[in-house]
């Protein structure tokens, strides 16, 4: 993190120790999340430190000169932050080319570009609310999101202080007067307003289940503003404008305050986890804990931790914290990609050692020399030009992965399009009866092209609603004058059956009506994610049921759902009750057993890209591939009127589930079926559905 160094005369060892604590919490969390499940709070500690130091620096200048020289400020930030950051981005892009499969190059380039321009947090926020992108594996530059928050703070904060200095008149300086007092009062109001508004929005975003709230600047800036308010308080105290009772400044009080604050931070680090609503109110513990430690300053006497704080290894880790933060995460991601598994304790220790070595080298040969390079230090203009040049070069390199991927994929797509147009015998599911070979042609071309598999979606327009939507959408397909109408209802695992159902319906002259919403199964039982506000399912469930029962032309309801969903109550009971209501209303229900799910360490498409000549290496055992908690089979026993459709044999053969069958890639992402493969299931899907309908 880019917490800022202060002048030697203002150097505070306790802040350096806080930096060390913050970065070690983050690194420990990334290496061993089960040991330190709340270690991500280290980022919040960094935010408070940065807010305090930056505001202190700006206040000193504003008080001394009555203004802020923006060019000098931004030049200092450029020399401090950009050299190491741009170097990491460049090396990560180069390593990513060699380590990642072609399927990931586009994402690598996007992350590199966003990191270079300090907007990574907004890119991740957009991905977090994009259902199709939300499950993407964490990239090697994802940790730059927090640097983006800080850089955006650096753009806004000096302008706020400068605006107050321009609008509020100062008193005439005198030997005993505090000529900055009027401006300080207004800054209290401005900083306080920013902190309260941001904290309020942070709490709202957290409790409303807005997944983007973790990354966006608006939910985080209050943490930096707390540091700014603390800086105002320190300045006011130095000018005797803020007087504290003697007991509050006593060594014993300060020692106790530090110990309590550290205890609170420690409790949060070991008790918070991925389920904690964060940042929101929960972030107040590390934020105010950090603020208390900074306010307490140096300590001594009984209960003081000054020996630990001043210990040279602690101070060095604090000094190298920015470089350590930059380097540790790419190493973890690259190791995971190469090893195919997350690091175990011994590997974590090796990765930590490598991170510390890289941090040492970066600090010694990049950070420190560039920050003090006389050619740049004496000229803000030169510093800014050099910074702009570094960003431009890095951004240019960041464009290469996506451009290279696009060029190579275009060549593959021409071959794949021809193969899909003139489908060979045994294409896709048609080869299952012949041993399920990966390829039925001499040309080992997979359809869809793995790098473009995420786009191989059902042609259903905007008829699938987002999880947060408050409305369900009714769409109709096929013969408008049909005498037989089928409704397809459920979540994305119902939606991926659309191609098979719709194509068969066309051949029969049927009409298809859809009520589809990602993450929301047709189930009376409430999902846990719905209860905590992350998604909105109950409301649209009622809308779907109401729409189905009001229509008088529904002859069949086809439904399916992701077996990995978790519920507040028994999901099988909820499904059975839902199906029973539809059956009572004269609508036969045909639930489909969920499709198998590949191992979750990586995408099947990535594995296939890396093993294009031997995609059998990407197959996985049938045992455990189907959700342990799949409630559909259990619900079918509770409501025997429904006719269960099971296509497991179309995905797994002889105990093995392949990733490629008959030149067709089965999975477009971690668990959704490619539309191309679904199109090859039309004959068997239609046959089994028709048999079930006829039996009714």
């Amino acid at each position: 993190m880019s917490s800022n160094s202060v002048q030697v005369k203002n150097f505070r060892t306790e802040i350096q120790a806080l930096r060390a604590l913050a970065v070690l919490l983050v690194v420990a969390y990334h290496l061993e999340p089960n040991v330190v499940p709340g270690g991500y709070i280290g980022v919040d500690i960094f935010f408070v430190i940065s807010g305090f130091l930056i505001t202190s620096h700006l206040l000193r200048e504003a008080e001394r000169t009555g203004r802020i020289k923006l060019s000098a400020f931004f030049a200092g930030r450029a020399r401090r932050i950009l050299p190491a950051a741009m170097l990491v981005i460049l090396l990560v892009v180069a390593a990513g080319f060699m380590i990642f499969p072609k399927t990931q190059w586009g994402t690598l380039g996007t992350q590199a570009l966003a990191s270079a321009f300090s907007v990574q947090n907004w890119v991740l926020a957009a991905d977090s609310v994009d259902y199709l992108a939300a499950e993407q594996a964490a990239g090697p530059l994802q940790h730059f999101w927090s640097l983006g928050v800080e850089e955006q703070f650096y753009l806004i904060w000096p302008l706020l202080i400068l605006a107050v200095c321009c609008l509020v008149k100062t008193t005439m300086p005198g030997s005993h007067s505090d000529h900055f007092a009027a401006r300080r009062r207004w800054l209290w109001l401005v900083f306080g307003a920013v902190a309260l508004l941001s904290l309020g929005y942070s709490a709202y975003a957290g409790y409303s289940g807005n997944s983007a709230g973790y990354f966006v600047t608006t939910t985080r800036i209050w943490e930096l503003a707390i540091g700014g308010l603390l800086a105002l308080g320190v300045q006011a105290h130095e000018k005797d404008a803020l007087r504290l009772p003697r007991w509050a400044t006593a060594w014993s009080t300060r020692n106790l305050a530090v110990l309590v604050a550290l205890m609170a931070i420690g409790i949060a680090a070991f008790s918070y986890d991925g389920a904690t609503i964060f940042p929101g109110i929960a972030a107040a513990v590390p934020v105010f804990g950090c603020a208390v430690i900074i306010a307490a300053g140096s300590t001594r006497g009984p209960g003081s931790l000054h020996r630990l704080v001043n210990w040279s290894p602690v101070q060095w880790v604090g000094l190298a914290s920015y470089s350590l933060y930059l380097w540790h995460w790419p190493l973890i991601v690259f190791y995971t990609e190469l090893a195919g598994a997350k690091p175990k304790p011994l590997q974590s220790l090796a990765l930590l050692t490598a991170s510390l070595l890289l941090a040492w080298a970066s600090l010694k040969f990049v950070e420190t020399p560039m920050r003090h390079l006389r050619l740049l230090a004496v000229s803000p203009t030169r510093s800014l030009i050099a910074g702009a040049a570094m960003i431009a070069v890095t951004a240019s390199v960041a464009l290469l992965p996506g451009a290279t991927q696009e060029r190579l994929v275009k060549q593959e797509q021409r071959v794949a399009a021809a193969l899909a147009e003139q489908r060979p015998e045994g294409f896709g599911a048609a080869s299952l009866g012949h041993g399920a070979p990966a390829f039925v042609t001499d040309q080992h071309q997979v359809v869809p092209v793995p790098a473009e598999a995420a786009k191989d979606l059902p042609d259903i327009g905007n008829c699938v609603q987002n999880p947060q939507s408050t409305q369900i959408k009714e769409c109709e397909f096929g013969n408008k004058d049909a005498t037989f109408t089928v409704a397809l209802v459920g979540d994305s695992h119902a939606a991926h059956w659309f191609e098979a159902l719709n194509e068969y319906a066309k051949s029969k002259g049927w009409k298809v009506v859809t009520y589809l919403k990602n993450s929301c199964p047709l189930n009376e039982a409430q999902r846990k994610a719905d209860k905590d506000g992350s998604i909105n399912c109950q409301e649209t469930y009622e809308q779907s049921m109401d729409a189905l029962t009001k229509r008088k032309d529904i002859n069949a309801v086809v439904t399916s759902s992701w077996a990995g969903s978790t519920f507040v109550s028994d999901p099988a009971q909820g499904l059975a009750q839902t199906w029973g209501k539809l059956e009572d209303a004269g609508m036969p229900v045909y639930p489909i057993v969920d499709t198998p799910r590949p191992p979750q360490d990586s995408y099947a498409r990535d594995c296939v890209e890396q093993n294009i000549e031997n995609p059998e290496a990407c197959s996985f055992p049938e045992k455990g591939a189907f959700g342990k908690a799949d409630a559909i089979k259990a619900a079918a026993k509770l409501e025997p009127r429904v006719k269960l459709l099971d296509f497991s044999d179309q995905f797994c053969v002889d105990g093995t589930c392949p990733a490629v069958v008959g030149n067709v890639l089965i999975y477009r992402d971690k668990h959704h079926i490619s539309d191309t493969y679904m199109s090859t299931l039309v004959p068997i899907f239609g046959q089994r559905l028709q048999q079930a309908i006829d039996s009714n």
Side-chain angles (χ1 to χ4, degrees), residues 36 75 156 180 191 263 282 311 317 354 373 428 447 550 573 640 664-665:
V36 193
I156 298 168
F180 199 71
F191 290 1
M263 185 180 299
W311 190 34
V317 172
L373 185 64
V447 184
K550 282 183 177 179
Q573 190 68 41
V664 178
L665 178 65

Side-chain angles (χ1 to χ4, degrees), residues 66-68 158-170 183:
R67 60 188 177 87
I68 293 172
L159 298 178
L160 286 179
I161 297 175
L162 185 60
V164 170
C165 289
C166 292
L167 295 173
V168 180
K169 292 183 178 181
T170 185
R183 289 174 173 173

